[in-house]
């Protein structure tokens, strides 16, 4: 989820490329998030050919970790990746939002309709290689964090 100018977006991606990008109208509530997941998660998994071997990782946002959301994920047999507790800077999707923002701004949208359209276009254009690098870099840093956690003296 991200404020791309004055529109709010929810998006997902995997090492093989970007998945769905959804515009959130109004305020994001827990039930909106459940709706987004129902609408987009499976289709994105299919689009990206993830098969059955995937885990879902959400931003550490209270709306994302609520009971209704947990139930929805469980009902749909979605495996959720547990975030390491001390990793505020690790979310790889933040890099993707920055990249999207840069590409969209470069095209100078003049109104919100156009802004949304450019976001969709640029999101679809983000190269799978870039997504793959983000995931890879993330996994590397994650391994480091895990390692540090295993030995407090290294902090
Ligand atoms: C938004 O901007 C685009 C491009 O300048 C234009 O074609 C379109 O008519 C505008 N839409 C609205 C609702 O103003
Ligand atoms: C933890 O750090 C200590 C001191 O640097 C080191 O001797 C020990 O081998 C480390 N243990 C692990 C599991 O990395």
């Amino acid at each position: 989820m991200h404020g791309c100018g004055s529109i709010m977006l929810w998006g997902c991606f995997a090492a093989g490329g970007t998945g769905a990008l959804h515009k959130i109208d109004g305020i994001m509530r827990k039930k909106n998030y459940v709706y987004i997941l129902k609408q987009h998660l499976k289709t994105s998994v299919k689009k990206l050919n993830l098969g059955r071997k995937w885990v879902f990782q959400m931003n550490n946002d209270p709306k994302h970790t609520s009971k209704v959301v947990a139930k929805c994920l469980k009902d749909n047999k979605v495996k959720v990746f547990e975030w390491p507790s001390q990793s505020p800077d690790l979310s790889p999707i933040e890099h993707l939002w920055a990249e999207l923002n840069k590409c969209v701004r470069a095209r100078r949208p003049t109104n919100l309709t156009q802004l949304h359209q450019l976001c969709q276009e640029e999101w679809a254009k983000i190269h799978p290689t870039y997504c793959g690098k983000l995931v890879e870099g993330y996994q590397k840093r994650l391994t480091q964090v895990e390692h540090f956690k295993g030995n407090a003296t290294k902090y």
Side-chain angles (χ1 to χ4, degrees):
M1 192 172 74
H2 179 64
C4 182
S6 353
I7 61 173
M8 290 276 268
L9 299 168
W10 175 91
C12 62
F13 81 108
T18 51
L21 183 70
H22 176 89
K23 179 165 161 283
I24 298 155
D25 294 311
I27 306 164
M28 172 87 149
R29 295 179 204 283
K30 286 172 192 166
K31 68 173 195 303
N32 301 112
Y33 189 57
V34 169
Y35 170 78
I36 288 172
L37 292 178
K38 280 189 177 151
Q39 199 181 10
H40 295 299
L41 202 51
K42 291 246 159 114
T43 54
S44 297
V45 166
K46 214 168 180 183
K47 179 194 163 214
L48 293 166
N49 275 322
L50 297 185
R52 282 160 192 248
K53 283 193 161 181
W54 58 280
V55 288
F56 181 52
Q57 183 170 21
M58 301 179 284
N59 282 1
N60 263 338
D61 180 311
K63 279 186 287 298
H64 297 181
T65 49
S66 71
K67 276 185 192 159
V68 278
V69 172
K71 185 178 181 304
C72 165
L73 292 170
K74 194 164 174 248
D75 289 350
N76 287 282
K77 298 189 168 61
V78 173
K79 273 190 226 130
V80 178
F81 176 86
E82 296 289 340
W83 283 88
S85 53
Q86 288 163 328
S87 59
D89 60 349
L90 282 179
S91 181
I93 202 164
E94 296 303 329
H95 296 281
L96 211 49
W97 291 135
E99 179 69 13
L100 178 68
N101 200 38
K102 199 180 76 192
C103 299
V104 169
R105 294 293 154 197
R107 295 178 64 184
R108 302 184 183 282
T110 52
N111 57 50
L112 290 183
T113 314
Q114 198 194 8
L115 174 64
H116 181 211
Q117 198 197 327
L118 294 183
C119 284
Q120 293 288 356
E121 283 178 27
E122 293 299 327
W123 181 255
K125 274 201 269 176
I126 289 175
H127 204 274
T129 312
Y130 181 75
C131 297
K133 279 194 181 135
L134 288 182
V135 171
E136 199 182 301
Y138 173 76
Q139 280 166 345
K140 271 192 198 138
R141 279 175 295 150
L142 193 63
T143 314
Q144 279 165 5
V145 168
E146 292 283 305
H147 183 69
F148 288 144
K149 265 207 297 197
N151 199 336
T153 56
K154 282 193 179 161
Y155 271 111

